[in-house]
Amino acid sequence: MNATAAKLLVAAGDLMIERNSTEISLSEIAQKSGVNAALVKYHFGNKDGLLLALLARDAQAEMATLAFVLDQPISPTDKMRRHIAGIVNAYFRVPYLNRLIHLLLHQGSEATAKEVHRFFVAPLFGFVKRLLEDGIATGEFRKVDPALFYISLNGACDHLFYGRQMNTHLIGSGGVTDAVRRQYIDHMTKLILGGLLTDKQAD
Amino acid sequence: MNATAAKLLVAAGDLMIERNSTEISLSEIAQKSGVNAALVKYHFGNKDGLLLALLARDAQAEMATLAFVLDQPISPTDKMRRHIAGIVNAYFRVPYLNRLIHLLLHQGSEATAKEVHRFFVAPLFGFVKRLLEDGIATGEFRKVDPALFYISLNGACDHLFYGRQMNTHLIGSGGVTDAVRRQYIDHMTKLILGGLLTDKQAD
């Protein structure tokens, strides 16, 4: 990618992290990157184009990780462990990732929303659906609705990174440190795989 | 509450639902309600004041339900079942609730953030913490970190209502109907209480 275009993406991502929000303007991005606002249009066409490129840059690693995990010669249970850790790590690295997807789906043009589904949501959901099917087939997993599972798992993992303010009160003023990240992976893994009850009475 | 003030809150809430966003302006609220923008200041002081009043109006029922559930002479497991259903129902009724809390914590003044913690987050978290302690004491629940549990449970329940667009692709064009709501309660209850595995190997 062109150096100027890359600079713009760096500025956009940094702004989203600083503001803890996806609501940033093209002029703010231009100002932060030191790049002339007119070059945004030149490189990306419009804001949707820039945000899509940002998503592509940031989701790349997560999707590659997911595909890699699924290809390993290990049990579905172990793949799910790695997948849960992978999601938490992806949101730790890119705290605005989930919200950026929702922003583009909701506020972007119809063409943009279609691209987001085609290149990100559908493949990510497809991976999870396949993993669940594999685990159900081996008898390791209960039958769960893949869409509801995908929605609840991503919502739970993302929420730790949503609000620094809420976390400060609940977790402590250190915020989401690397130690908290590892605690959350451990928490989410045990909760999702084993649930809250000591005795399986849920059904 | 004064009828004009109530009208403003209705307009603000409706706008947030229509836009699927908490990013609404005072002039938009004034326009939608048919109330003169100057009366917003008269009734609420400023935007923070209006949004706090909206949160108070909308969170009231959820907090009362939670307190009621905790007082019942039933097991911690059954209380947790009802609590999970209560959260999903609260977000079904007020889909912007979680995001409004985060908005006020993050973009509101320090005084506003303090009020949100004092009147909403701290009591809600306090309830959940107490319920977890009760269940751990009876041996029904595993030891979990209350803050991480609170964050993951709310994140998972909220996510269904976050993005109509994503849901349309994953769930179907009917969106989050009453049937989907009930399915999600069932899904979340089984997942949180019993986990994904058919056999408790998570630890």
Side-chain angles (χ1 to χ4, degrees):
Chain A
M1 172 179 277
N2 176 278
T4 305
K7 250 189 180 177
L8 287 164
L9 294 191
V10 168
D14 287 352
L15 267 171
M16 287 188 183
I17 291 175
E18 281 161 31
R19 298 270 177 81
N20 190 29
S21 166
T22 48
E23 308 280 340
I24 61 177
S25 72
L26 279 185
S27 55
E28 288 172 322
I29 297 168
Q31 187 175 33
K32 187 165 178 75
S33 63
V35 172
N36 189 302
L39 286 175
V40 174
K41 281 205 153 190
Y42 174 76
H43 285 286
F44 299 111
N46 56 19
K47 194 177 180 189
D48 268 15
L50 188 150
L51 294 180
L52 262 172
L54 180 63
L55 178 58
R57 183 196 76 169
D58 292 335
Q60 181 91 353
E62 188 194 355
M63 293 177 69
T65 303
L66 195 38
F68 178 78
V69 166
L70 280 175
D71 275 344
Q72 297 311 294
I74 56 181
S75 69
T77 299
D78 280 339
K79 287 181 185 178
M80 187 56 80
R81 277 186 224 279
R82 293 183 194 196
H83 175 54
I84 291 168
I87 300 179
V88 174
N89 287 332
Y91 290 140
F92 181 74
R93 201 172 50 81
V94 187
Y96 53 81
L97 185 60
N98 195 40
R99 277 172 282 161
L100 176 58
I101 287 174
H102 282 289
L103 178 79
L104 284 167
L105 285 176
H106 189 74
Q107 281 180 35
S109 68
E110 215 181 292
T112 297
K114 273 203 170 118
E115 276 210 51
V116 173
H117 272 290
R118 198 169 145 216
F119 291 105
F120 304 104
V121 182
L124 287 167
F125 175 57
F127 283 136
V128 176
K129 193 163 184 270
R130 223 180 86 201
L131 174 52
L132 287 172
E133 284 163 3
D134 289 351
I136 289 165
T138 63
E140 288 165 62
F141 298 164
R142 282 190 301 111
K143 275 196 87 167
V144 292
D145 180 289
L148 300 187
F149 182 84
Y150 177 84
I151 288 165
S152 49
L153 180 60
N154 275 279
C157 292
D158 177 52
H159 204 216
L160 182 70
F161 306 98
Y162 192 149
R164 240 176 280 149
Q165 283 287 341
M166 179 173 294
N167 289 343
T168 301
H169 275 251
L170 298 181
I171 287 173
S173 55
V176 186
T177 59
D178 202 64
V180 173
R181 174 188 62 84
R182 280 181 271 124
Q183 270 182 279
Y184 204 55
I185 287 174
D186 186 62
H187 163 79
M188 285 300 307
T189 305
K190 287 178 171 146
L191 189 66
I192 293 295
L193 293 186
L196 179 66
L197 300 185
T198 53
D199 182 25
K200 284 229 171 236
Q201 326 160 8
D203 293 314
Chain B
M1 170 177 281
N2 175 279
T4 305
K7 251 188 179 178
L8 286 163
L9 295 189
V10 168
D14 287 353
L15 266 171
M16 288 192 183
I17 292 175
E18 281 161 31
R19 299 270 179 82
N20 190 29
S21 168
T22 48
E23 308 279 339
I24 61 177
S25 72
L26 279 186
S27 54
E28 289 172 320
I29 297 169
Q31 188 175 32
K32 186 164 178 76
S33 62
V35 172
N36 189 303
L39 286 175
V40 174
K41 282 206 154 186
Y42 174 77
H43 285 287
F44 299 111
N46 56 19
K47 194 178 180 190
D48 268 13
L50 187 151
L51 294 180
L52 262 170
L54 179 64
L55 177 57
R57 183 196 76 170
D58 292 335
Q60 180 91 354
E62 189 194 354
M63 293 179 69
T65 302
L66 194 39
F68 178 77
V69 166
L70 279 175
D71 274 346
Q72 297 310 296
I74 56 180
S75 69
T77 299
D78 281 338
K79 287 181 185 180
M80 188 55 80
R81 277 187 225 279
R82 292 183 193 198
H83 175 53
I84 291 168
I87 299 178
V88 174
N89 288 333
Y91 290 138
F92 181 75
R93 200 171 49 81
V94 187
Y96 53 81
L97 186 60
N98 194 41
R99 278 171 283 161
L100 176 59
I101 287 173
H102 283 289
L103 178 78
L104 283 166
L105 285 176
H106 189 75
Q107 281 180 36
S109 68
E110 215 180 293
T112 297
K114 273 202 169 119
E115 274 210 51
V116 173
H117 271 290
R118 197 169 146 216
F119 291 106
F120 304 104
V121 182
L124 286 167
F125 176 57
F127 282 136
V128 176
K129 192 164 186 268
R130 224 180 86 200
L131 174 52
L132 287 171
E133 283 163 3
D134 288 352
I136 289 166
T138 63
E140 288 165 61
F141 300 165
R142 282 190 300 113
K143 276 196 87 167
V144 293
D145 180 288
L148 300 188
F149 182 83
Y150 178 84
I151 288 165
S152 50
L153 179 60
N154 274 278
C157 290
D158 177 52
H159 204 216
L160 182 70
F161 305 97
Y162 193 152
R164 240 174 281 147
Q165 282 288 344
M166 180 172 294
N167 290 344
T168 302
H169 275 253
L170 298 181
I171 289 172
S173 57
V176 185
T177 59
D178 203 64
V180 173
R181 174 188 62 83
R182 281 179 271 124
Q183 270 182 281
Y184 205 55
I185 287 174
D186 185 63
H187 164 80
M188 285 300 305
T189 305
K190 288 179 170 144
L191 189 66
I192 294 295
L193 294 185
L196 179 66
L197 300 185
T198 53
D199 181 26
K200 284 225 171 243
Q201 327 159 7
D203 295 314

